[in-house]
Amino acid sequence: MQFSFACATDVGRLRPNNEDAVVVDPAIGLAVLADGMGGYRGGEVASRLCCETVQAELHVRLRQPRAEPRAALLAAVAQANQRIYEASQREPAWRGMGTTVVAALMDGVHLTVAHVGDSRLYRLRQGSLVALTRDHSLVQEQVQAGLISAQDARATPYRNLLTRAIGVGPAVQIDHAEHVVEPGDTYLLCSDGLHDLLTDTEIARCLCSTAPLERAAWALIDAANAAGGRDNIAVALIACWPDDR
Ligand code: CA
């Protein structure tokens, strides 16, 4: 199988600065996206430090003998947590900064994903879009417990409150999974600035109707801005092609 990667981020239409960060690194099969929070530019620092640390750690860890993608990815995200937490302890203005993360590593057979917070991984397969991550947010926990409906969850004003984030404590619990990849799959990583504003149907329509991949990334951002653009928006895309195409 062959893969292509694309990413894009935009400040949106209401926020003064962009606290989302996104990196793709086809050489190691990596896409990583982070949505930062915290005053005095702390959100921007946290999300950028997260993406940079995960990328740099994986370059080292994947080169080691008998490197295993899942262990390498989890160690890289744990290292990002530690670096952001230490930076926030050193610099009073950054106290309490943190970030979400969703990181996906493609090895040709599996897509290994690690995530914390409400940035998501979706898979588009044969026209149908499925979320492969479950948000670490207060409303998502209430939906799981049957306290509110998924539809009400989309409308509550506190839907962005996280129950877990990177960098706010000395350690963090990281969710992870491995997904078997099929030719024709497209994977989307995105921040809540996208999935809060677009329905699954709208996201799928952008992905199905737009090629090449770089243009699809911007089509998603344009659609979120057209829907109000009330938050920063970041997306990363991984497309899988059969070898003989
Ligand atoms: Ca956000």
Side-chain angles (χ1 to χ4, degrees):
M1 237 183 299
Q2 295 180 28
F3 314 103
S4 52
F5 289 74
C7 68
T9 183
D10 187 67
V11 67
R13 295 174 62 187
L14 296 180
R15 299 285 177 92
N17 54 329
N18 192 352
E19 298 184 324
D20 285 1
V22 61
V23 166
V24 292
D25 189 338
I28 54 169
L30 174 70
V32 53
L33 182 151
D35 173 356
M37 65 210 83
Y40 300 99
R41 305 261 156 182
E44 282 171 87
V45 172
S47 62
R48 201 165 313 147
L49 198 51
C50 183
C51 288
E52 286 171 5
T53 304
V54 170
Q55 183 183 23
E57 285 289 316
L58 282 171
H59 268 276
V60 174
R61 291 175 184 275
L62 290 173
R63 213 175 292 137
Q64 287 166 358
R66 292 182 300 280
E68 199 266 310
R70 186 172 56 100
L73 188 60
L74 287 174
V77 173
Q79 184 63 27
N81 184 79
Q82 196 178 334
R83 279 194 66 191
I84 295 163
Y85 180 68
E86 284 170 3
S88 77
Q89 297 300 299
R90 268 197 317 271
E91 174 57 60
W94 295 342
R95 199 58 55 85
M97 72 176 173
T99 183
T100 71
V101 69
V102 56
L105 199 53
M106 175 68 78
D107 69 3
V109 180
H110 295 104
L111 187 72
T112 305
V113 58
H115 95 284
V116 174
D118 65 356
S119 297
R120 293 183 184 166
L121 173 69
Y122 289 89
R123 179 185 63 210
L124 182 75
R125 178 175 286 171
Q126 290 168 355
S128 81
L129 189 79
V130 178
L132 298 177
T133 50
R134 184 178 296 167
D135 297 349
H136 303 126
S137 67
L138 200 60
V139 285
Q140 193 59 52
E141 288 181 5
Q142 291 179 330
V143 170
Q144 294 302 317
L147 297 171
I148 58 169
S149 71
Q151 196 172 0
D152 288 345
R154 288 188 76 88
T156 81
Y158 61 92
R159 66 185 170 280
N160 305 111
L161 284 181
L162 301 183
T163 50
R164 276 190 229 171
I166 293 286
V168 296
V172 67
Q173 193 186 343
I174 303 159
D175 277 9
H176 56 89
E178 261 179 10
H179 302 282
V180 177
V181 172
E182 291 183 6
D185 285 352
T186 301
Y187 295 88
L188 163 69
L189 292 75
C190 66
S191 61
D192 63 342
L194 189 86
H195 67 69
D196 247 13
L197 290 178
L198 300 184
T199 64
D200 288 6
T201 311
E202 289 167 328
I203 292 173
R205 196 182 303 140
C206 276
L207 290 174
C208 289
S209 64
T210 332
L213 209 56
E214 193 77 29
R215 201 174 298 164
W218 282 105
L220 288 165
I221 285 182
D222 290 346
N225 275 326
R230 63 172 178 255
D231 196 359
N232 307 143
I233 310 149
V235 299
L237 293 170
I238 308 170
C240 313
W241 316 105
D243 276 327
D244 53 6
R245 202 180 85 127

